[in-house]
Amino acid sequence: MLNTPPGGKIHLKGLIGSAKTILLANLFQKSNKNFTILLSDREEAAYFYDDLNNLGLTESALFFPSSFKRSVQYGQTEQENIVQRTEVLNKIAVNEKPYIIVTYPEALVETVISQAGLETNTLGVRKGDKISTDFINEFLYEYGFERVEYVYEPGQFSVRGSIVDVFSFSNEDPYRLDFFGDEVESIRSFNIDNQISKDSLEKITIVPNIQSSNISGNAVSFAEFFQTENVWFGNNLNQFFSHVNDIHRQTILARSTEEHISHEIVSGQILKSQMQKKTVFELGTDLAFEPSAILDFSNSKQPVLNKNFELLGENLSEFSEKGYEIFILSNQEKQIERLQSIFGDTKVSVKFNPVNFILHEGFIDHDLKICCYTDHQIFERYHRFKLKTRKAEREALSLKELNMLHQGDYVVHIDHGIGKFAGLVKTEVNGKMQEAIRLVYKDNDSLLVSIHSLHRISKFKGKEGTEPNINKLGSGAWQKLKSRTKAKVKDIAKELIALYARRRSEEGFAFSPDTYMQTELEASFIYEDTPDQEKATVAVKLDMEKPI
C-alpha cells in the first residue's frame, strides 16, 4: 500500500474516530517516508497530533500551524507559531529521519520559503568548526537578528567575550556557542529563565525569521517544499480544498489587491493540482480525487449512552458475548476505579481491559472484534488536547522580566534581602568579560549578581503604594528577619498542633463512605480534577468519614 507510485490515489474507507490515528501511526512506523496529514481545522489537527503523542510518536510527530493569531486576512502573526513552522521546515530539509506532520487549511494557505531559499538563509555550525565570532556577528546582523544584552526570544543574539548566545527561529531553546580562539569548542542549548545548559550538541542550524521581508528566496506552497518522498493523507479532502479557497478569497477581499498577496497565500485549486501528482490516501466520504483503489474498514462509533451505566453495561456485555475484546482508555486511574465501582454496585458483570493512556475518539472495529472506548466519552467529559508551548508560570525572575525592570525597582535576593535594581554592568571574571546585574543596598553599597544566578532574585511584591525598607549588606539584618519569620512559623505550627489535639479528643459526626451514586455524580463533571484538586478531595472525604 505504501509503495503506491506518485499520483496514486487510495481511499481508506470506513475508518472512524481514533482508528484513523492508530492506522496511520502503524503505517508510519513501517515506512521510511514523511507523512503529512491534512485535517479540517486547527482543533481536529490538534486532537490528531495529541493522539500521535499518546501513541508514542512524540519524537516524530510535528504540528504545522498557521503563522497568525486569528486568521491570515487579519495579518497579526504569533511568534511562537512562526518558530513552530520554521522548526518543521528545517527538520524536513535536514532530512535526518522521517516525520509525521499534522496541519490544517489556515496553515496550508500560506506559502513557505523553498528548500533552496531556506538553505541559502541558514547557517550550519558544528563543534570544532573554524569560524570567527565576527563572521557570526555579521551573518546575524545581515539576517535581521537583534543584538541584546541577553537573549529571551527568537531573533536575538548576544556576544560576551568568547561566548555567543543566539536564539534561532528553528528551535524552542536558544543556543550557546563557546569559542576557543576561532574554534567552536562547545555547543549547548540552555533555559532562558535560569541560563542553565540543557543539552550538549554536536551541530546546529541557525535560521532567521524566514517570513521577514529581508529574506531572499522563492515562495512555494507547502506541497512543493518537499524534495524527499512524502505521502499525503487527507480527511474529507474536497472540503479541505474548498476551505482553503474560502480563506484565499476572503484574504484577497481583506487586502484589496491580489497582486499584493499572490506571494503569500495559495488557493485550493493550486494545492489540488499540485497534489494530483502525489501519492494521496483519502479518509472520510467527501473525496477530492477518483480513487485507484479502495480499502474497506468495518468501523462504527463509540455509542452515546448519556451516562446511563446500565445501558453501558448491557452494551459491553453484548459485545463481549459476541467475542469482542473490550478496551477502556483513560489517563486517569480514578476514572477506571469509578467505572469498576459503578459496575460493582449496579451488579453489572463486565470484563474489560483498562488502558493507561487516552485517545480522542473511541470506536468499534468489527473486523478485529474490538471495542475501544474512551472514558471522557463514557462520562461525557471535556477532553483537552496538548500542544507544545514555551509559556510557563514561574516565580523566579526571567530574562524577559529583567528586561522590563527599570532602574530603582525593588528586587529581593534570597541571601541579601531587599535592594534596588541598578541595571546591567560588564565585569571581568577570570580574564573574561561577563554581564552582571547591579543591585544597590543601604548606604549605596553595591552587589553584582551573575546572569547565571537569576534564580536567586525575584521582583519585590508588597502592598501597593508602600515602599519597603532596603537592607544593609553584611549587617545580618536580613538573616535575622528570616530567622524571626521561621520562629513565627514554628509558633503557628505549635498552635495548630494544639488545636488539632483538642479536635481529636472531641467526638464528631462520621459521614458514610461514597456510594455508586456519589461516584456517578463525580463522574458526570465535564472537567477532570487536577492532581492537587483530587488530592484535596480525597483528604476532605477521609476527614469527614472519621468520628472526630
Side-chain angles (χ1 to χ4, degrees):
M1 184 167 72
L2 290 172
N3 294 323
T4 302
K9 304 292 182 283
I10 309 290
H11 183 198
L12 302 176
K13 185 180 179 182
L15 286 166
I16 295 290
S18 291
K20 299 171 189 174
T21 326
I22 293 171
L23 175 68
L24 269 56
N26 273 286
L27 289 175
F28 174 75
Q29 288 175 313
K30 293 174 183 176
S31 169
N32 59 355
K33 302 172 184 177
N34 287 312
F35 281 18
T36 302
I37 320 297
L38 309 179
L39 296 163
S40 305
D41 54 43
R42 184 180 182 276
E43 186 176 272
E44 187 182 358
Y47 278 120
F48 197 99
Y49 172 75
D50 192 43
D51 276 1
L52 291 173
N53 284 315
N54 290 330
L55 288 167
L57 292 179
T58 308
E59 297 301 315
S60 300
L62 300 174
F63 188 77
F64 189 68
S66 164
S67 303
F68 297 89
K69 282 185 177 179
R70 290 176 60 201
S71 59
V72 65
Q73 60 261 40
Y74 292 103
Q76 190 178 7
T77 56
E78 176 76 72
Q79 191 180 60
E80 193 163 336
N81 290 354
I82 294 172
V83 172
Q84 268 191 289
R85 284 173 70 88
T86 309
E87 183 183 6
V88 171
L89 296 177
N90 190 53
K91 283 184 174 178
I92 295 168
V94 171
N95 192 31
E96 288 184 340
K97 67 173 189 175
Y99 290 96
I100 182 165
I101 303 130
V102 185
T103 189
Y104 53 98
E106 284 82 359
L108 263 282
V109 75
E110 296 178 59
T111 56
V112 298
I113 194 169
S114 65
Q115 279 208 30
L118 181 63
E119 189 176 343
T120 303
N121 294 285
T122 295
L123 176 63
V125 182
R126 286 178 177 270
K127 187 177 171 182
D129 277 356
K130 298 287 185 182
I131 184 172
S132 70
T133 54
D134 290 339
F135 172 78
I136 288 187
N137 228 332
E138 190 179 327
F139 172 87
L140 296 173
Y141 265 128
E142 186 179 342
Y143 286 99
F145 280 80
E146 178 191 7
R147 183 164 179 173
V148 293
E149 298 288 345
Y150 40 85
V151 302
Y152 57 84
E153 60 185 23
Q156 297 177 334
F157 78 103
S158 70
V159 181
R160 299 188 302 280
S162 65
I163 294 175
V164 176
D165 289 347
V166 57
F167 208 145
S168 168
F169 275 86
S170 61
N171 197 58
E172 289 180 349
D173 295 308
Y175 299 123
R176 176 162 292 150
L177 284 65
D178 202 343
F179 286 81
F180 183 76
D182 283 345
E183 182 182 329
V184 180
E185 190 174 38
S186 69
I187 306 172
R188 291 161 290 162
S189 62
F190 66 93
N191 186 302
I192 58 172
D193 295 328
N194 55 27
Q195 297 287 292
I196 294 173
S197 297
K198 294 176 75 173
D199 299 306
S200 184
L201 307 165
E202 289 298 313
K203 61 178 181 178
I204 59 167
T205 52
I206 300 171
V207 184
N209 182 354
I210 55 177
Q211 297 186 196
S212 172
S213 57
N214 65 345
I215 298 298
S216 60
N218 295 330
V220 297
S221 73
F222 188 67
E224 290 180 298
F225 181 82
F226 289 87
Q227 291 182 356
T228 52
E229 200 168 354
N230 180 63
V231 183
W232 296 82
F233 294 82
N235 191 45
N236 294 322
L237 267 185
N238 195 46
Q239 290 178 24
F240 183 94
F241 293 131
S242 177
H243 192 174
V244 173
N245 274 332
D246 289 342
I247 300 166
H248 183 269
R249 186 168 54 253
Q250 289 164 14
T251 307
I252 290 171
L253 290 172
R255 298 188 181 180
S256 301
T257 63
E258 187 170 352
E259 183 183 354
H260 173 66
I261 51 84
S262 61
H263 298 297
E264 299 174 16
I265 63 171
V266 62
S267 70
Q269 290 97 325
I270 291 173
L271 273 177
K272 185 176 178 180
S273 66
Q274 289 169 347
M275 289 180 62
Q276 186 73 53
K277 305 168 188 175
K278 303 182 186 298
T279 306
V280 181
F281 289 79
E282 292 203 59
L283 302 96
T285 54
D286 196 2
L287 307 185
F289 303 103
E290 185 67 34
S292 54
I294 298 174
L295 295 177
D296 267 310
F297 295 85
S298 183
N299 287 178
S300 57
K301 290 183 178 182
Q302 175 177 333
V304 178
L305 300 165
N306 297 315
K307 290 182 282 191
N308 186 324
F309 295 101
E310 286 186 15
L311 275 179
L312 172 65
E314 290 169 11
N315 174 269
L316 295 179
S317 297
E318 187 180 327
F319 277 114
S320 188
E321 286 168 11
K322 291 178 181 177
Y324 284 67
E325 195 167 4
I326 313 295
F327 297 93
I328 295 183
L329 280 59
S330 178
N331 56 358
Q332 299 280 341
E333 194 176 321
K334 185 73 176 174
Q335 284 296 83
I336 295 296
E337 290 174 6
R338 284 171 181 159
L339 201 55
Q340 288 169 330
S341 173
I342 289 167
F343 286 149
D345 288 343
T346 53
K347 305 295 188 291
V348 176
S349 179
V350 176
K351 289 183 180 178
F352 64 86
N353 302 301
V355 182
N356 190 28
F357 72 88
I358 198 64
L359 294 173
H360 182 50
E361 290 183 276
F363 61 91
I364 302 163
D365 191 306
H366 301 289
D367 294 323
L368 297 174
K369 287 201 164 187
I370 60 169
C371 294
C372 187
Y373 288 8
T374 66
D375 79 297
H376 59 268
Q377 287 175 286
I378 290 172
F379 294 109
E380 295 182 8
R381 314 185 96 185
Y382 178 74
H383 177 222
R384 186 180 288 108
F385 58 76
K386 292 179 183 175
L387 291 177
K388 282 195 299 186
T389 177
R390 293 186 294 114
K391 296 170 185 173
E393 293 288 328
R394 59 186 76 86
E395 282 298 320
L397 194 66
S398 73
L399 283 167
K400 191 167 184 178
E401 289 165 338
L402 179 60
N403 191 47
M404 294 168 70
L405 281 177
H406 302 290
Q407 291 202 15
D409 286 349
Y410 293 103
V411 293
V412 182
H413 191 290
I414 194 168
D415 297 321
H416 303 286
I418 301 168
K420 282 186 178 181
F421 176 71
L424 288 162
V425 296
K426 290 189 182 294
T427 182
E428 190 173 318
V429 179
N430 298 326
K432 292 182 180 180
M433 294 303 291
Q434 291 190 10
E435 283 174 331
I437 301 157
R438 182 167 174 260
L439 302 182
V440 176
Y441 284 83
K442 198 170 183 179
D443 299 333
N444 235 17
D445 289 341
S446 289
L447 175 72
L448 297 183
V449 181
S450 168
I451 286 287
H452 305 291
S453 298
L454 269 182
H455 59 284
R456 305 194 71 76
I457 303 171
S458 59
K459 190 171 181 180
F460 175 78
K461 295 171 185 174
K463 189 177 179 183
E464 200 171 330
T466 60
E467 292 192 359
N469 293 322
I470 296 177
N471 293 108
K472 180 169 177 59
L473 286 176
S475 68
W478 176 249
Q479 298 302 330
K480 288 175 185 174
L481 178 62
K482 288 204 293 185
S483 298
R484 285 200 303 271
T485 305
K486 285 178 183 176
K488 282 186 179 179
V489 169
K490 285 181 181 177
D491 289 341
I492 292 169
K494 285 178 185 175
E495 289 174 14
L496 285 172
I497 290 167
L499 173 65
Y500 276 83
R502 285 200 304 275
R503 283 183 179 173
R504 190 165 287 277
S505 64
E506 295 177 11
E507 191 172 341
F509 180 80
F511 289 84
S512 60
D514 290 351
T515 65
Y516 80 95
M517 293 177 71
Q518 173 76 11
T519 305
E520 281 191 22
L521 172 68
E522 290 177 3
S524 71
F525 302 154
I526 62 167
Y527 295 102
E528 184 59 62
D529 285 351
T530 66
D532 285 344
Q533 287 171 335
E534 188 175 323
K535 189 177 175 182
T537 302
V538 169
V540 168
K541 285 181 180 179
L542 284 173
D543 282 349
M544 290 175 71
E545 290 166 17
K546 290 176 183 174
I548 54 172

